[in-house]
């Protein structure tokens, strides 16, 4: 790993076979808000950037509603290589990429991490997560020697399959922006002390 980017990794032979490239996080190296997905899909693997497909469009819309642009936030994944047939990453694959995620979080040092869906929520929180029920919850997370604040969110794709999740997703992103002190009406101060 060089800075925030992984340039070569062969820890997961099946992922090495299925990827066309390693998909590193994008956005400012000092972002206050970091979004964490599970793994790249087909569009992300092709373009080399996380959340660029339909889910990415929904995330962009929610960011815009919260007074943010994609360029204002860091977006990354638990696993940097596309799993075959877009399956969930295995426990071993998540573990193999964990050091890269911890280093990225350490270097970026965000005010707040937003977990997008069940896999990143459970991976980061190290427990079972009822994402729909816990969406919008602000929780403390310990990674190695560091502590972070995180907001649990449904995955943007959930809004495509269940329209009732759209409002939940947009409200969660707005709450995350407010909690991190970024976006509309932030006044420049993080609001983490409120939680």
């Amino acid at each position: 790993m060089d800075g925030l980017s992984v340039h070569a990794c062969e820890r997961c032979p099946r992922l090495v076979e299925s990827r066309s490239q390693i998909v590193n996080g994008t956005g400012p190296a000092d972002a206050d808000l970091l979004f964490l997905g599970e793994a790249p899909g087909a569009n992300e693997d092709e373009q080399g950037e996380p959340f660029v497909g339909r889910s990415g469009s929904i995330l962009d819309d929610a960011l815009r509603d919260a007074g943010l642009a994609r360029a204002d936030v860091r977006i990354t994944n638990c696993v940097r290589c596309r799993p075959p047939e877009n399956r969930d990453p295995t426990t071993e694959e998540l573990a193999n990429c964990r050091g890269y995620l911890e280093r990225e979080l350490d270097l970026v040092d965000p005010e707040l991490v937003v977990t997008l869906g069940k896999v990143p929520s459970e991976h980061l929180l190290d427990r079972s997560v009822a994402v729909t029920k816990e969406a919008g919850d602000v929780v403390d997370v310990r990674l190695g020697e560091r502590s972070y604040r995180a907001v649990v969110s449904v995955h943007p794709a959930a809004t495509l399959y269940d329209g009732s999740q759209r409002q939940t997703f947009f409200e969660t992103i707005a709450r995350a922006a407010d909690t991190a002190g970024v976006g509309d009406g932030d006044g420049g101060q993080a609001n983490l002390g409120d939680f």
Side-chain angles (χ1 to χ4, degrees):
M1 189 168 187
D2 178 25
L4 294 170
S5 296
V6 177
H7 298 290
C9 181
E10 297 188 357
R11 293 178 183 171
C12 305
R14 293 206 51 215
L15 298 189
V16 171
E17 286 176 21
S18 68
R19 75 181 185 209
S20 64
Q21 61 185 313
I22 294 171
V23 179
N24 288 298
T26 59
D30 62 349
D32 289 331
L33 201 49
L34 183 142
F35 290 87
L36 180 62
E38 69 180 58
N43 291 322
E44 291 78 11
D45 182 64
E46 183 180 302
Q47 297 180 43
E49 185 174 329
F51 285 90
V52 292
R54 288 180 11 178
S55 293
S57 295
I58 294 164
L59 177 58
D60 290 346
D61 290 346
L63 289 170
R64 195 168 27 260
D65 278 12
L68 295 166
R70 179 180 278 263
D72 299 328
V73 301
R74 183 107 187 137
I75 304 172
T76 196
N77 282 305
C78 296
V79 172
R80 293 172 187 249
C81 299
R82 178 186 182 213
E85 284 97 47
N86 288 345
R87 66 161 168 73
D88 287 349
T90 66
T91 302
E92 182 181 2
E93 291 162 353
L94 288 163
N96 286 343
C97 242
R98 180 73 175 220
Y100 300 140
L101 175 60
E102 289 183 11
R103 177 150 170 79
E104 185 172 11
L105 286 170
D106 188 48
L107 292 172
V108 174
D109 193 26
E111 290 288 333
L112 191 69
V113 177
V114 181
T115 58
L116 298 172
K118 187 171 187 68
V119 170
S121 297
E122 292 187 344
H123 184 60
L124 198 66
L125 277 57
D126 196 28
R127 65 172 172 82
S128 179
V129 177
V131 177
T132 303
K133 190 169 128 187
E134 296 183 50
D137 287 0
V138 180
V139 295
D140 290 310
V141 176
R142 186 112 184 125
L143 285 177
E145 301 299 312
R146 303 284 307 270
S147 290
Y148 299 94
R149 300 290 286 202
V151 170
V152 175
S153 175
V154 298
H155 194 282
T159 68
L160 296 170
Y161 310 112
D162 179 358
S164 69
Q165 294 296 327
R166 186 173 174 84
Q167 182 175 350
T168 300
F169 179 71
F170 276 68
E171 286 174 356
T172 299
I173 301 310
R175 179 168 190 201
D178 184 54
T179 301
V182 297
D184 284 340
D186 66 63
Q189 294 293 318
N191 299 318
L192 296 176
D194 298 343
F195 297 95

